[in-house]
Amino acid sequence: MSEAPASPDPSSRVVKHSVVIAGHRTSVSLEDAFWRALKDIAALEGLSLAALIARVDAGRGEANLSSALRVYVLERALGRF
């Protein structure tokens, strides 16, 4: 007999948010866990979520914004900045 599939982890659910960066509206899709982490980091830095995303956007080079945000959260979690 096969087992029933495990319930998906709610933190892995992809959530799309619209943000304004440098006067342009864009949509960013990230897993819920990353959105929560970004909101926590923004609060620690005394920034709005949009300001934190704009900071990451300004330094991302050619990287996709969603990927750059995930790497930013990972680097913060690892204490690299």
Side-chain angles (χ1 to χ4, degrees), residues 11-29:
S11 341
S12 65
R13 180 180 57 111
V14 175
V15 179
K16 184 182 276 192
H17 284 271
S18 292
V19 293
V20 177
I21 302 171
H24 294 76
R25 186 173 216 70
T26 189
S27 293
V28 180
S29 296

Side-chain angles (χ1 to χ4, degrees), residues 42-74:
L44 287 170
E45 297 285 328
L47 298 170
S48 68
L49 180 59
L52 178 63
I53 292 172
R55 180 192 289 175
V56 173
D57 180 58
R60 72 182 166 107
E62 298 296 317
N64 170 282
L65 181 56
S66 293
S67 296
L69 290 166
R70 286 185 189 96
V71 170
Y72 177 80
V73 168
L74 175 62

